[in-house]
Amino acid sequence: MPETVRRTATRRHYLMCRPTHFEVSYAINPWMDPDKPMDADLALAQWERVRDLFVGLGHEVSYIDPVPGLPDMVFSANGATVVDGKVLIAKFRHRERAAEADAYRAWFEEHGYSDIKVPEYVNEGEGDFAPAGRRILAGAGFRSDPGAFEELRAFFGLPVVGLTLTDPRFYHLDTALCVLDDDLVMYYPAAFSDESRAVLRELYPDAILATREDAEAFGLNAVSDGLNVVLTETATDLIEALRARGFEPHGVDMSELLKAGGAVKCCSQEIRDT
Ligand code: ARG
């Protein structure tokens, strides 16, 4: 058991989108079933709880206006990837979400960002791209095109570690892996190809490994500030493992947003200005 280290939080900036128009009206991942009842008021309350937690932890939260007809826009992590104040806009795989990209582009333009790239290849923002210290972990297999990896590397000037996702339930990297700090991650090995598992083992020998139950509970779709980790409350083994490693887990109920295949991380896009 690795010894407990003293963790420190750093203040983050998250872009969030209120789930005003949230519903499950189509199915583009295995979790979505338009015939299953969803409580929109409860979804909003759960989203507000996550937002309140971020604010309470001292983070800055910005808001992008929800657009009618874009029910998945609440999953702001997918809209762009921002590192060093540079913005790589998303290009969505499914036509149902395609128009979100323009809304995110407009938001960054209106908020004074000038280094904005509209990509050539499909990429679903932080859904598949996870900046980790001075490298970026990048997932492909279901959504982002592996061709986006070179675009990512060239635009940010950072090394990109490409990872292959193999289980359709873990269709975005952020459903299978969470960056806890610059050199620590937690992930679900069975969501990755053999080669990618070997890469992760090599890069992160101390990683926290999730059980199947916790991965299916979306416990890896979490947000860490280096100390506090906000994640689904049902991921009980992860919560215990995080505590044992000196983190402060904050469990939340995400039952309604889970019906669209999203949880805490999906609702928060980190804006890394410097
Ligand atoms: N229904 C959305 C989709 O399938 C969920 C996106 C979740 N976002 C995420 N960052 N994993 O695209």
Side-chain angles (χ1 to χ4, degrees), residues 14-259:
Y14 300 114
L15 177 58
M16 299 184 72
C17 180
R18 203 174 172 79
T20 312
H21 308 293
F22 175 65
E23 58 179 5
V24 182
S25 50
Y26 50 76
I28 56 171
N29 71 53
W31 306 95
M32 299 176 88
D33 177 358
D35 295 329
K36 205 164 146 187
M38 190 275 298
D39 182 336
D41 293 335
L42 184 55
L44 178 58
Q46 292 172 342
W47 177 91
E48 284 179 336
R49 167 86 185 117
V50 171
R51 188 269 318 272
D52 292 348
L53 259 172
F54 289 154
V55 172
L57 291 168
H59 302 307
E60 179 180 354
V61 177
S62 294
Y63 302 92
I64 180 168
D65 287 335
V67 176
L70 296 175
D72 273 337
M73 200 172 159
V74 58
F75 301 118
S76 58
N78 299 125
T81 306
V82 184
V83 179
D84 297 335
K86 294 163 66 122
V87 185
L88 177 64
I89 299 295
K91 178 172 176 173
F92 287 84
R93 164 90 37 206
H94 299 98
R95 63 177 162 72
E96 290 89 340
R97 299 196 66 186
E100 293 181 39
D102 286 340
Y104 282 93
R105 180 188 182 170
W107 190 92
F108 283 102
E109 282 169 359
E110 283 157 20
H111 288 77
Y113 290 81
S114 54
D115 203 347
I116 299 178
K117 181 172 169 65
V118 174
E120 190 179 325
Y121 291 92
V122 167
N123 90 66
E124 296 202 349
E126 287 195 324
D128 279 323
F129 298 159
R134 295 313 283 169
R135 71 162 72 101
I136 303 177
L137 306 177
F142 300 99
R143 297 294 179 85
S144 298
D145 188 311
F149 297 173
E150 172 53 22
E151 237 180 342
L152 186 64
R153 189 202 60 74
F155 183 58
F156 291 115
L158 291 172
V160 169
V161 179
L163 299 166
T164 303
L165 296 162
T166 55
D167 180 335
R169 292 170 313 153
F170 304 104
Y171 57 92
H172 273 144
L173 181 65
D174 73 359
T175 65
L177 180 146
C178 168
V179 174
L180 293 167
D181 70 19
D182 285 358
D183 16 64
L184 187 62
V185 302
M186 55 180 182
Y187 67 98
Y188 178 48
F192 295 90
S193 68
D194 291 346
E195 293 79 3
S196 298
R197 267 205 291 269
V199 169
L200 287 169
R201 253 196 319 269
E202 167 88 22
L203 284 177
Y204 302 105
D206 295 334
I208 296 176
L209 302 184
T211 60
R212 185 163 65 87
E213 288 73 17
D214 283 5
E216 287 173 353
F218 269 64
L220 294 164
N221 195 249
V223 170
S224 171
D225 65 12
L227 169 65
N228 302 286
V229 183
V230 183
L231 76 170
T232 46
E233 64 191 5
T234 42
T236 49
D237 287 332
L238 279 180
I239 287 174
E240 204 177 302
L242 287 164
R243 240 182 232 122
R245 298 288 194 96
F247 290 95
E248 283 182 23
H250 302 264
V252 290
D253 180 7
M254 296 297 277
S255 66
E256 301 315 288
L257 293 152
L258 281 168
K259 292 174 183 166

